[in-house]
Amino acid sequence: MSALSFSPHLHININRNPKLTPKRRAKPNKIRVSLQTTFPQATFSDPFVLQLAESLEDSLPSSSSSSPQPLPLQKLRDSSSQTLLSTPWPSRKDEPFRFTDTSFIKSSQIQPITRPSSSLDVSTDAQFPSLVLIDGFIQNSALNLSNLPDGVYVGSLLGVSDGIMKRVSDFISEFQCGDLFWSINGMGAPDLGVIYVPAGCKVENPIYLKYLSVEGGNVDSKKLPISNPRVVLLVEEGGEVGIIEEFVGKEGNDCYWANSVLEVVIGKGGKVRHSYLQNQSLNAAHIKWTAVRQVQLVKSLVALLLGGRGSAVRSLVHPIKRVDRSETASGYELVEVSTGGKLSRHNVHVQQLGPDTETELSSFHLLVSDQTQDLHSRLLLDHPRGYCRQLHKCIVAHSLGQAVFDGNVKVNRYAQQTDAGQLTRSLLLEPRATVNVKPNLQIIADDVKCSHGAAISDLEESQLFYFQARGIDLETARKALVFSFGAEVIERFPYPSIRNQVVSHVKNLMGTTDVSFS
């Protein structure tokens, strides 16, 4: 088996007429070159994106010769502005947004936030080192960096040493798979949050990142303030750290747009445990990118494997001996619970750039209102003995709620002996509730163990009967089963305080919603 795919693809084969003479073949080539040189001009960005890019540029503080922008930040803005000029606003005709309607954002009056709120008291979990971002701006006054090991840095890019600045600059803008919203963030990010873990350093307590949206408009005004927080996490070889991201808005149901990006680079043997909580206003737009690169330090092996050909490459792949994963594997674990936002979309992109790499993704989405919750994930495996597991669960408990899952796991040619699994399960608790799932497993390697599956249903009658036979009323039985459905993901949070917080929040949503679960 040389190639196997579990998702529909369109293959177009163009057969050239063998009777054509070389002279006649040269003519179309000339025309094709001419079209390629004029094509970017013909598809110059639409007026809406141009206007948004100009407003983002005007909102940024101007740099001077005495206080120039840090190189990584300037590099990010330059690359993002070039991408914006040739990228139109996505529509339902574009495959990645086929089931996700972004017209709610486009029809609003988008206003970039130019300065942070200065009169807000932010509370964080005192037991964890913390970094607070209000409307995309890092709050130095709210930093709690006690009990961090030597060499670990958490804070603004403006405060890093020259050595860390160079390391961050090496990786900024290398990621080439982002969409329009990735570029909007790169263009409008007022600062870069940096978390740096040196080689061999194990950070015992997780680092708590709290993203707070303060500026907002009401539904009638159509005002939609936009914030663009961006954080870079760099873990050197053998380093270990846990991070907790929590996205919240101030009390009320204001309209705002949080457009966030997290970039993660994990060196050989590094470990990252990522907890992600999203509880935005039910009138807000929340779009997030999480881009992860694992085992970045084996570039020479990557180049050798991808640049070689034939038996020379196979002789390098197969003789690699199995080693102890606990010592050499790069590990990334994501646990996500998302409940807020009128429109919420999480783009997760993970690249395994070395052998014996481990990736685990667990997500739970709960919709109790007129919401769209969207998870788009992509895992690329390019090296031997990779391991990945993905579990996606969602509950749609409103007749106008819509959940979307598009998960792609691609096992490339040299990712032999890969062990990959993907599962998505959805509960629809109302007659008109909607879920669109697209599990996608592409296998090009021929020595792998891979599986995927999808299930969409209401609660099973046999389970309800089991409860009722023991004297439990129907409503209590349904609530217990619904909560236990999501508890499989919630229990995977590695920190008891966060786990208890999520349990309380989910139970509160299920208890106060007007949905009767019947």
Side-chain angles (χ1 to χ4, degrees), residues 141-173:
S141 59
L143 286 174
N144 174 21
L145 304 179
S146 58
N147 301 323
L148 283 178
D150 293 339
V152 175
Y153 177 83
V154 179
S156 168
L157 179 68
L158 301 175
V160 302
S161 64
D162 292 340
I164 298 178
M165 180 77 74
K166 184 179 184 307
R167 292 293 290 156
V168 173
S169 183
D170 289 340
F171 296 107
I172 285 294
S173 302

Side-chain angles (χ1 to χ4, degrees), residues 413-451:
R413 178 181 177 185
Y414 303 117
Q416 304 294 340
Q417 301 176 14
T418 287
D419 184 355
Q422 181 187 67
L423 176 64
T424 172
R425 297 181 61 195
S426 304
L427 278 181
L428 302 182
L429 303 181
E430 287 294 311
R432 294 172 57 193
T434 305
V435 62
N436 295 283
V437 297
K438 183 184 175 185
N440 188 343
L441 182 60
Q442 296 175 280
I443 305 173
I444 302 176
D446 55 11
D447 180 13
V448 299
K449 182 172 69 175
C450 299
S451 65

Side-chain angles (χ1 to χ4, degrees), residues 301 305 316-322 325 352 354-357 381-387 412-419 447:
L301 180 59
L305 290 179
L316 287 172
V317 172
H318 291 289
I320 297 178
K321 297 180 180 179
R322 186 170 296 277
R325 286 182 185 272
Q352 292 190 354
D356 301 288
T357 305
L381 293 83
D382 281 311
H383 294 267
R385 300 179 300 277
Y387 174 89
N412 285 324
R413 178 181 177 185
Y414 303 117
Q416 304 294 340
Q417 301 176 14
T418 287
D419 184 355
D447 180 13

Side-chain angles (χ1 to χ4, degrees), residues 171-218:
F171 296 107
I172 285 294
S173 302
E174 281 192 357
F175 185 74
Q176 301 296 329
C177 298
D179 59 3
L180 173 72
F181 301 103
W182 172 282
S183 300
I184 290 174
N185 176 280
M187 182 73 181
D191 195 358
L192 279 181
V194 177
I195 302 175
Y196 177 80
V197 180
C201 179
K202 294 177 174 55
V203 183
E204 189 171 326
N205 291 321
I207 298 171
Y208 181 67
L209 306 177
K210 186 164 187 176
Y211 302 80
L212 183 59
S213 296
V214 176
E215 294 291 332
N218 56 57

